[in-house]
Amino acid sequence: MDIVPNRRIVTASTMAVGEKCISASLVTFELLASETGTELIFTHQGAFFEGSDGPEMREAGWRKLLDRLTHA
């Protein structure tokens, strides 16, 4: 949706099971210079419909992925 180099990335997506949409998301990654490198502010806005895994599972998935950045 939007990329500002060294500043911000915004993405939008939907997730479906078969033909049925189960969620829609807007995700923003903000990159801030810091004394020790780069700080990341991550914002996930989601709408979860019938049949979705709900926000708890989505949060756990994002935490697992983002945790890998600190170990890279």
Side-chain angles (χ1 to χ4, degrees):
M1 305 281 318
D2 184 53
I3 296 176
V4 178
N6 301 312
R7 177 74 191 247
R8 175 181 64 239
I9 300 171
V10 179
T11 66
S13 64
T14 59
M15 186 178 291
V17 173
E19 296 292 319
K20 184 179 179 184
C21 183
I22 61 168
S23 67
S25 299
L26 180 68
V27 175
T28 304
F29 300 89
E30 294 177 80
L31 307 167
L32 306 172
S34 72
E35 292 180 12
T36 58
T38 303
E39 291 187 31
L40 171 66
I41 298 174
F42 173 82
T43 305
H44 177 269
Q45 297 169 284
F48 301 93
F49 312 124
E50 294 81 14
S52 72
D53 56 3
E56 294 82 11
M57 289 190 69
R58 201 65 52 86
E59 179 180 357
W62 276 115
R63 284 187 186 278
K64 185 175 180 178
L65 288 171
L66 294 171
D67 186 51
R68 292 181 182 181
L69 293 175
T70 62
H71 297 97

